[in-house]
Amino acid sequence: MKGIYKRELKSYFYSMIGYVFIAFLVAFVGIYFMAYNLNMGYPYFSYTLSGGLFILLIAVPILTMKSFSEERRSKTDQLLLTAPVTLGQIVWGKYLAMVTVFAVPNLIFCLFPLMIKASGQAYLKVDYCAILAYFLMGCAYIAVGMFLSSLTESQIIAAISTFGVLLVLYLWNGLVDFLPTDAGGNLAGVLLLWSLLAFGVYQMARNWILAGLLEVVGAAAGIAVYFLRPSWMERLLPDVLGRLSLSDGFTSIVNERLLDVSSLFLVVSVIVLFVFLTIQTIQKRRWS
């Protein structure tokens, strides 16, 4: 894995993508820092960093779009798949290389609270917790982008699809508010999501029996709950999906000065999930 990691890390700086990515993030957050913290004298860098959330939707697709799509397009993925390393080591090596590139601007961000403290009052604990949450959320976005890159040979398609998915995650709380609250609407939503899950299982296992059994059992359970305990279905989707917002941990630090460990655990779980899905996607292509 170390060889894959070094190879990928060097490629980001040989192609200038790494330098552009770092400069782009630092420049964008630096503008907010100058406006809010230096000119207006606002003591919280965490509030300034919240302005940099949207820029991740643009910067992360640029970083992740070539991770696997370029390998597929140039057919060099065959060399990786026949290398004397496991598939998991290949994926983790590529992922950690992108995380390292993303860590550089975050390390630079760590200097900003010290600059605020040198000028007056500062809240270092809050600011550094916000930087940690921002970094973890960016790592989750990178994992999503890497997975989408593994699905296509086109870097453009990988970048656009990553931007679309990250935009949905960015607007997650607002989109959840549009979900139905009645039992019937929630039943329909649950059945739809369960069907998508069964389809995903089929795509990974290519087993119609397993996917069909999963679909039938899930649909029967949902319908039974709807008729026996309809109150359980009311607001089920808004309540459950509302807890899956990746930005809640960061916003709780910025707005309430509280470190929500459960939200950070959710972000780490998303990272592990999408790295696992990337491994399974490549594994499926290896044997197809």
Side-chain angles (χ1 to χ4, degrees):
M1 186 178 76
K2 185 177 180 181
I4 300 294
Y5 169 78
K6 288 183 177 180
R7 169 183 175 272
E8 290 299 313
L9 188 60
K10 289 179 181 179
S11 70
Y12 280 107
F13 291 102
Y14 286 159
S15 64
M16 296 297 293
I17 292 179
Y19 294 110
V20 172
F21 177 84
I22 294 170
F24 189 57
L25 274 183
V26 174
F28 189 87
V29 175
I31 292 173
Y32 274 79
F33 175 72
M34 292 177 59
Y36 290 119
N37 299 121
L38 297 185
N39 292 341
M40 299 177 60
Y42 196 72
Y44 288 100
F45 177 69
S46 57
Y47 179 79
T48 300
L49 196 59
S50 64
L53 284 180
F54 184 80
I55 203 62
L56 288 179
L57 276 63
I58 302 173
V60 168
I62 297 175
L63 181 66
T64 62
M65 65 182 184
K66 81 177 192 70
S67 55
F68 281 101
S69 59
E70 175 63 19
E71 300 279 3
R72 290 185 61 181
R73 187 191 64 80
S74 60
K75 306 302 181 183
T76 56
D77 59 332
Q78 301 300 320
L79 297 176
L80 285 177
L81 295 178
T82 56
V85 292
T86 65
L87 191 56
Q89 290 175 329
I90 293 174
V91 174
W92 279 109
K94 283 177 169 286
Y95 175 72
L96 292 177
M98 291 184 285
V99 168
T100 301
V101 176
F102 179 60
V104 174
N106 282 271
L107 291 175
I108 297 175
F109 296 158
C110 291
L111 300 176
F112 291 173
L114 298 178
M115 296 171 64
I116 297 175
K117 184 175 178 60
S119 303
Q121 186 179 18
Y123 300 88
L124 298 182
K125 291 183 180 180
V126 174
D127 290 341
Y128 285 125
C129 285
I131 294 174
L132 173 62
Y134 183 85
F135 173 72
L136 290 177
M137 191 161 54
C139 290
Y141 286 176
I142 290 173
V144 173
M146 181 179 67
F147 167 68
L148 294 173
S149 177
S150 69
L151 299 177
T152 178
E153 296 182 359
S154 171
Q155 294 188 43
I156 302 300
I157 294 176
I160 294 175
S161 60
T162 300
F163 174 79
V165 172
L166 297 187
L167 181 62
V168 171
L169 294 177
Y170 181 79
L171 302 173
W172 188 264
N173 289 328
L175 296 176
V176 168
D177 291 338
F178 287 99
L179 294 175
T181 58
D182 61 290
N186 278 269
L187 174 63
V190 168
L191 293 179
L192 176 61
L193 292 177
W194 195 261
S195 297
L196 293 175
L197 175 62
F199 179 74
V201 170
Y202 168 73
Q203 289 294 319
M204 294 178 62
R206 288 297 176 180
N207 189 326
W208 275 111
I209 298 177
L210 177 62
L213 182 63
L214 184 66
E215 173 73 18
V216 171
V217 171
I223 294 173
V225 170
Y226 173 75
F227 284 106
L228 298 177
R229 292 288 188 274
S231 60
W232 291 4
M233 278 290 177
E234 295 178 359
R235 294 196 56 83
L236 178 63
L237 287 179
D239 291 342
V240 173
L241 297 181
R243 297 178 181 273
L244 300 180
S245 174
L246 295 182
S247 61
D248 281 354
F250 180 79
T251 55
S252 66
I253 296 173
V254 175
N255 298 329
E256 304 171 14
R257 322 299 181 213
L258 295 175
L259 179 62
D260 188 352
V261 178
S262 63
S263 295
L264 298 183
F265 178 77
L266 171 64
V267 174
V268 174
S269 299
V270 169
I271 294 173
V272 175
L273 172 63
F274 277 94
V275 171
F276 170 77
L277 291 176
T278 303
I279 295 173
Q280 295 305 308
T281 299
I282 300 174
Q283 183 73 23
K284 175 188 171 184
R285 192 166 66 247
R286 166 188 272 183
W287 299 111
S288 63

